[in-house]
Amino acid sequence: MSLTEIIRRFPSDVIFGVATSSYQIEGTAQGGCGASHWDSFARQPEAITDSSDGSVACDHYNHYAEDLDLVADGGFDAYRFSFSWPRLLPQSDKEVNADGLAFYDRLLDAMLERSLQPFATLYHWDLPQRHANNGGWQNRDVTGWFADYTDLVIRHFGDRLASVAPINEPWCVSFLSHYWGHHAPGLCDLAATARSMHHVQLAHGRSIEVMRGHGQQNLGCVLNKEFAVPVDGSELAEKKTYLFDGIYNRWFEESTFRGCYPEEVLALFGQHMPDGYENDLGLISAPLDWAGCNYYTRSVIAPDASEPHLGFRCIRGDLPKTDMGWEIDPEGLAFFLRRMARYYAPGLPLYVTENGMANADNLNAAGEVHDPERVAYFESHLAALAALVDEDVPLKGYFAWSLLDNYEWAFGYSKRFGIVHVDYASMVRTPKQSWHAWRAALKAR
Ligand code: IFM
């Protein structure tokens, strides 16, 4: 079934959008943006595949109007973006960068002029370097710094935001960055992991509290989820798969929606959990207006006694893969939405806040980009979601990742996730076949 036919199966109140984030597209060299821990991580030898950073990125700082034209011309209803904390507060938590405020004023006004609903994220990984120097996500004080930053954003921009989520993908902020060391600050330390996994959740709770205090509407969370299957039928592989699900998915689902952490993950963290963490769980689980799910792939879990703490490693199975080497498994996405709707948050509006794939895209001689693999990826995942319509799963929106090819973190500019191709030398944008497929599908609704 084509994208056009699949999109027709969704109720008319389901919105479609595209997503981006500040560090990945804006260009931190512009407009007085301050240093973040991604700038320093990117300077570490071998941290980034192509040794690049976000200083120029897609130069969205200067190209934002053209980029939003592509969102609107594509027929999308909404644009999911993030504010950059170091752009707004480059030097200290007290001195606001007027150019930073002016940039997001222009960006928001341009969205509203194009009738695009602004879906804001307050933190998509660009922690100010000064806060990283003070312990970053390992330091409980980060929750207060984040609450103050939330206050600034909501006071200035809150009246123009259709929806707000405090933190993008808390698993990446904590586990991926402090245990596997793949993202800034690049640590491999169980104690740092335990602390960051609690503090990122507390920061979410404190940010929601600040926003409720301002009467801000439509507040949610954006959790990334990865489906897991055991490598074989052994009891050990089953147990390790459950642990993986606990660390990756249920840690965030349980605490956000039920006010507790999974026992098996608490056992892993043991004495490293911050003292009195239990007292924060009420704030962490304060009611939300919606829940977002970012979904890309699945992992196969293989027991491995040489892994010191987890006792497993993640491998890939034999499903077709994207250019990231990630397996394509649309049913995993449906699994998480069902689990949310039936178990964690019955009745709560659900959004797929990111979904998409990297592909080795090239401009052809005619100046076009053919990415049928990406069109098929969107079709398969949207078909899995369309099947949920008859199951009372309250899906209210879907955001494709990403509008533009952009800075894919530790992979630099070597991986292309966009529905619009970016030539990084000329900054020319070229809508890909997938952008045209979306446009045709959304215009035919
Ligand atoms: O590029 C990232 C994004 O920043 C967060 N979610 C996953 C995407 C693809 O890896």
Side-chain angles (χ1 to χ4, degrees), residues 24-301:
Q24 293 178 275
I25 64 167
E26 286 177 3
T28 56
Q30 301 284 321
C33 185
S36 82
H37 70 167
W38 264 94
D39 299 315
S40 47
F41 183 66
R43 284 194 295 272
Q44 290 181 21
E46 293 172 27
I48 313 295
T49 312
D50 58 7
S51 306
S52 62
D53 60 27
S55 53
V56 178
C58 305
D59 194 20
H60 175 72
Y61 185 85
N62 291 308
H63 289 256
Y64 72 91
E66 176 188 352
D67 293 340
L68 292 180
D69 281 344
L70 287 164
V71 183
D73 291 352
F76 293 100
D77 308 301
Y79 179 57
R80 180 171 171 256
F81 72 106
S82 74
F83 288 100
S84 162
W85 191 348
R87 182 177 295 290
L88 288 169
L89 295 164
Q91 307 299 342
S92 80
D93 291 347
K94 304 258 177 292
E95 296 160 81
V96 183
N97 173 21
D99 288 347
L101 289 178
F103 170 65
Y104 292 115
D105 278 336
R106 292 196 293 278
L107 186 70
L108 281 166
D109 291 346
M111 281 181 227
L112 297 176
E113 278 160 20
R114 289 161 179 77
S115 301
L116 296 169
Q117 297 177 43
F119 271 59
T121 304
L122 302 183
Y123 180 77
H124 197 126
W125 308 353
D126 34 10
L127 185 72
Q129 183 61 45
R130 64 180 178 282
H131 292 325
N133 294 343
N134 286 323
W137 290 101
Q138 290 187 67
N139 182 348
R140 187 181 173 92
D141 291 348
V142 74
T143 65
W145 304 329
F146 188 61
D148 292 346
Y149 161 66
T150 300
D151 183 70
L152 166 74
V153 173
I154 298 306
R155 274 181 198 280
H156 196 89
F157 303 107
D159 59 343
R160 282 167 284 172
L161 304 178
S163 149
V164 191
I167 293 170
N168 183 69
E169 301 186 351
W171 177 85
C172 293
V173 173
S174 53
F175 196 86
L176 183 67
S177 308
H178 295 79
Y179 189 79
W180 280 336
H182 295 171
H183 281 187
L187 300 180
C188 301
D189 178 324
L190 190 67
T193 305
R195 287 196 292 270
S196 63
M197 284 193 52
H198 179 61
H199 293 151
V200 74
Q201 289 301 84
L202 181 56
H204 158 87
R206 292 194 64 179
S207 177
I208 294 288
E209 181 181 51
V210 167
M211 291 194 276
R212 293 282 183 224
H214 283 294
Q216 189 71 26
Q217 306 284 308
N218 213 12
L219 309 182
C221 65
V222 174
L223 308 182
N224 54 316
K225 322 257 175 139
E226 192 158 307
F227 193 64
V229 290
V231 70
D232 56 34
S234 67
E235 204 177 304
L236 185 60
E238 287 284 350
K239 192 173 158 207
K240 293 300 178 187
T241 302
Y242 188 69
L243 177 60
F244 174 94
D245 185 46
I247 294 169
Y248 203 114
N249 305 307
R250 282 180 290 106
W251 180 269
F252 303 99
E253 292 168 327
E254 296 272 343
S255 53
T256 308
F257 297 105
R258 300 169 73 95
C260 58
Y261 287 133
E263 287 301 327
E264 73 284 5
V265 190
L266 284 174
L268 171 76
F269 292 155
Q271 88 241 16
H272 300 306
M273 281 301 290
D275 287 343
Y277 75 85
E278 301 91 336
N279 303 329
D280 299 327
L281 285 160
L283 191 58
I284 292 171
S285 58
L288 296 176
D289 305 317
W290 57 270
C293 168
N294 291 3
Y295 178 84
Y296 291 88
T297 188
R298 71 166 194 174
S299 267
V300 177
I301 307 304

Side-chain angles (χ1 to χ4, degrees), residues 58 66-67 70 359-364 367-371 374 402-406 413 416-435:
C58 305
E66 176 188 352
D67 293 340
L70 287 164
N359 197 44
D361 302 319
N362 286 304
L363 280 171
N364 66 17
E368 296 162 348
V369 181
H370 289 213
D371 57 346
R374 183 174 287 106
S402 181
L403 171 65
L404 303 171
D405 292 336
N406 59 49
Y413 298 97
R416 293 183 178 270
F417 272 91
I419 59 172
V420 172
H421 179 274
V422 176
D423 178 325
Y424 295 113
S426 64
M427 289 300 160
V428 168
R429 276 77 164 134
T430 306
K432 301 180 189 176
Q433 178 187 355
S434 52
W435 181 90

